[in-house]
Structures are given as C-alpha cells and as structure tokens.
Amino acid sequence: TDRKKLHTAPVGQVFRLRPFHVLVATGGGYAGYRKYEDYKLEQLEKRGIEVPVKLASEWEVALYKSVPTRLLSRAWGRLNQVELPTWLRKPVYSLYIWTFGVNMKEAAVEDLHHYRNLSEFFRRKLKPQARPVCCVHSVISPSDGKILNFGQVKNCEVEQVKGVTYSLESFLGPRISTEEMHFSQTPPGNSFQQQLVTKEGNELYHCVIYLAPGDYHCFHSPTDWTVSHRRHFPGSLMSVNPGVARWIKELFCHNERVVLTGDWKHGFFSLTAVGATNVGSIRIYFDQDLHTNSPSHSKGSYNDFSFISNNNKEGIPMRKGEHLGEFNLGSTIVLIFEAPKDFKFNLKAGQKIRFGEALGSL
C-alpha cells in the first residue's frame, strides 16, 4: 500500500514511428546487408571464381536511395574537421592505416601527430618522388585506384563494370554548345556519341578508376588538355565500390558528380569525378565556385559553368600530372575522350594502378 504508483504512457505514444524513421531503419539495414554481400563477392573474386551479374530491381534501388546518404556525408565531413587531441591522433590514424593498408612511407609528412584532423589525414600529400609521371605515353592515370573497366564506347553506352552499362548522354548531360567547346559542327541527326567525335577516323574511349578509402585521395590531369566547361550534377551518394557498381545499373548517373569537359590534341576530352557515400566533398582547385553536396542543390538537376569568357577565351590549360582536385575519402574517376583508332590501353581489368602510370597511348 505504501508503494509509489508507476505512471506509464500508451505504447503508441512512446514508440511513435514516422515514415522517415522507417525508411532510414529499413534502408540502413538493407545497405548493411549489401555490404556483406559485396564482401562475399570480393572473396569469390580473389579465389578466381567468376561472379554472374545480378542487377538490382527498381524497388531495391529505391530502398537504397532512401538512406539519407547526403545528410550522413555532410555529418561525416564535419566530424572529419574536428581537431583531435595530440594523444589521440596516432591511435586513430594507426587504426585507419591498418584497416585500409595505407602506405605512410609515401606521405610527404610521415609523423601522424602532424595531422590535426581526419580531413587533413585523408588529403595528405605525397613525396615528390613517390609518383613519377610517365613522359612516354599520352594518357596517364589521374589517381591511385583500381581499373574497373576500359575500352571503346559503343552504342552510346559505357560499361561501369563488365556487363553493366549506363547511358553516355545521361552521364555527361546534354551536349555543350560548339561555340563554347571550339568543336566543329556536326549534323543534328547524329547520335550523341557521334556528336562528341570531332575528327574523322577517331573513336570515343572510356576508362573507369575506383579509389578505395586507403588510396591517395588527390587526382591530377591525365594529359595535356584545356578545360572549357564544368557541369555539376547533384544526386545520391551511394557506394561506388565494385560490388555495388556490379549491382546497380547506371549507378554513376544516380550519384552526384562533377563533369569537366574540354579538348586535347585529338579532340574531345572529359574527366568526371563521381561522389559516393561519405564523399560529399569534391574539390576542383581552379574552381572556387563549385560547392558539392549542398542542401541548396536538388537532385535531378544540373548547373553549368563556363571557363571561357571575354578575358579568357581559351579556358583552363592543364599539364599532364598537374594537381586538379581531391576527394574527401575515396570514389571514382571516369575518363571519356576522343582518340584515333590506333589508340591502345595498356591495362587489365581489375588491376591496381597508381597516379602517373600509363593508361594508354598511340
């Protein structure tokens, strides 16, 4: 009789589930399941077992996209900028180095206490001699990473991994005016692919490079070329690791990306930096107006910026190997360019490559 009464609220008021919470929980759980499936696929590949392509259905893609990856990536970016106490830096960075196999002997500064936060550690510079730039071949790798796919573009489709393609026009967006690009006029009836090829006898080529979290996060100019235009596509920030690229068709068209287009000695040339989960920040050094993963940008749109003006009619000249930009963690770079028919890639699908090494030449 002397016991205090326990006041309780109805269960419905305590656990008031909202649609957003259901989507986050369901989508997050499904994303975790996909990570486990990706791990199993990687183990099969290491054993030399060919994995059949199994594309995601529309509801699976919608469920994955329901995860608020843009919001989570912005939160991760802010966390990366929090200054760590000096005593905590070495344990935190050592765990990352051990997990992702980072080679700190290549870093310009090997002392882990030098990096005030995770962001500085991710964007660490390399020693000048760590990545010699190949002078013989015409196109070099713009970054460290893994070669997912390469070859000729056929039927306006590009392979993101073997057997899984995406639309060239959806990826690059509508063709930029010939006045901006200094390209020759092409008949309007030609396909999008044919309109990009400016010289008779040339073909369109592509190369996809995946940057893992442990790779060097800066990217450089793959050749001597001039950047005329930038197109920014706000979008999702789904994972772009090889397992997901094999699972979601047109993954690179769903994700946020920055497309740089211009020309080199053989015609059209483009480099696209594709964002991914926890990679909300894509930085282009000469483009101070670019702000990726911003709440003010809506999905399904794009914004253009021309580097050709009355004062600068030639655009931004880039030399082979010159610093071009950086990712916050790791992602994907897609090269799409025009070259003569005798252009040859010196690559194998799945191989590891480092910035400065040859991709191919004439």
Side-chain angles (χ1 to χ4, degrees):
T1 56
D2 295 331
R3 293 176 183 172
K4 293 182 178 180
K5 292 183 179 180
L6 179 64
H7 296 277
T8 60
V11 175
Q13 294 180 11
V14 177
F15 301 102
R16 186 173 294 173
L17 294 177
R18 298 178 181 177
F20 176 76
H21 299 151
V22 174
L23 286 174
V24 170
T26 308
Y30 193 73
Y33 165 74
R34 287 305 315 172
K35 285 287 186 182
Y36 173 69
E37 290 294 310
D38 295 340
Y39 171 77
K40 291 198 300 183
L41 289 176
E42 288 178 6
Q43 297 306 307
L44 290 174
E45 286 183 341
K46 288 180 180 178
R47 292 162 55 186
I49 301 174
E50 187 173 350
V51 182
V53 174
K54 183 181 179 182
L55 293 177
S57 61
E58 290 186 11
W59 72 265
E60 288 178 307
V61 176
L63 186 57
Y64 191 4
K65 292 175 73 173
S66 70
V67 181
T69 50
R70 297 179 74 187
L71 179 62
L72 293 173
S73 297
R74 285 195 289 269
W76 174 253
R78 291 182 181 178
L79 178 63
N80 287 347
Q81 295 173 4
V82 174
E83 185 169 344
L84 297 176
T86 305
W87 61 269
L88 188 58
R89 294 175 188 177
K90 188 171 184 179
V92 170
Y93 301 148
S94 295
L95 177 61
Y96 185 90
I97 291 168
W98 176 80
T99 303
F100 296 108
V102 178
N103 184 5
M104 283 303 294
K105 292 183 179 179
E106 297 177 335
V109 180
E110 296 183 40
D111 182 12
L112 297 180
H113 296 100
H114 169 80
Y115 304 99
R116 295 173 297 176
N117 52 47
L118 285 165
S119 181
E120 285 189 2
F121 178 73
F122 293 147
R123 296 181 289 106
R124 63 193 177 276
K125 304 299 181 183
L126 298 181
K127 295 174 182 175
Q129 67 274 19
R131 295 289 186 276
V133 175
C134 177
C135 299
V136 178
H137 295 79
S138 58
V139 183
I140 62 169
S141 176
S143 67
D144 289 5
K146 178 181 180 180
I147 301 295
L148 293 189
N149 216 306
F150 62 92
Q152 283 190 16
V153 177
K154 297 179 180 179
N155 302 320
C156 295
E157 293 280 325
V158 185
E159 281 194 316
Q160 58 192 28
V161 293
K162 185 177 180 181
V164 182
T165 63
Y166 55 92
S167 164
L168 179 64
E169 186 169 6
S170 297
F171 182 69
L172 295 178
R175 185 167 179 260
I176 301 161
S177 66
T178 55
E179 288 78 8
E180 284 191 41
M181 300 298 294
H182 302 292
F183 290 167
S184 59
Q185 294 284 348
T186 54
N190 286 8
S191 68
F192 183 80
Q193 177 179 336
Q194 292 171 327
Q195 291 177 27
L196 295 181
V197 177
T198 64
K199 298 180 180 179
E200 187 176 354
N202 281 2
E203 298 287 347
L204 207 60
Y205 297 86
H206 78 281
C207 183
V208 184
I209 305 170
Y210 166 68
L211 289 75
D215 288 327
Y216 169 56
H217 293 96
C218 297
F219 50 93
H220 302 246
S221 176
T223 191
D224 296 335
W225 65 306
T226 301
V227 183
S228 305
H229 190 272
R230 179 258 291 160
R231 177 168 283 161
H232 171 217
F233 290 85
S236 301
L237 288 172
M238 295 183 283
S239 172
V240 293
N241 72 51
V244 177
R246 187 185 293 107
W247 179 56
I248 296 181
K249 184 177 174 63
E250 299 203 335
L251 171 65
F252 299 155
C253 297
H254 290 295
N255 272 16
E256 182 157 12
R257 60 198 182 277
V258 176
V259 182
L260 300 178
T261 52
D263 58 289
W264 69 319
K265 60 183 179 181
H266 298 298
F268 174 80
F269 199 96
S270 73
L271 180 149
T272 302
V274 183
T277 307
N278 294 336
V279 193
S281 174
I282 301 172
R283 182 182 173 194
I284 304 297
Y285 294 139
F286 58 74
D287 189 355
Q288 302 302 317
D289 295 324
L290 174 65
H291 300 286
T292 58
N293 195 18
S294 171
S296 61
H297 296 148
S298 59
K299 296 181 183 179
S301 63
Y302 65 86
N303 54 80
D304 288 342
F305 184 85
S306 175
F307 297 109
I308 296 177
S309 63
N310 293 331
N311 296 327
N312 179 19
K313 296 181 180 293
E314 298 299 324
I316 308 294
M318 296 297 301
R319 303 294 296 175
K320 184 167 65 173
E322 186 178 350
H323 278 84
L324 182 55
E326 62 188 36
F327 291 111
N328 188 42
L329 186 60
S331 190
T332 298
I333 288 179
V334 180
L335 301 178
I336 298 175
F337 57 92
E338 175 185 358
K341 292 182 178 180
D342 56 350
F343 181 87
K344 301 294 182 184
F345 283 103
N346 305 315
L347 302 171
K348 292 181 180 179
Q351 79 171 69
K352 291 288 291 182
I353 198 166
R354 304 202 304 176
F355 154 62
E357 294 179 347
L359 289 182
S361 65
L362 299 171

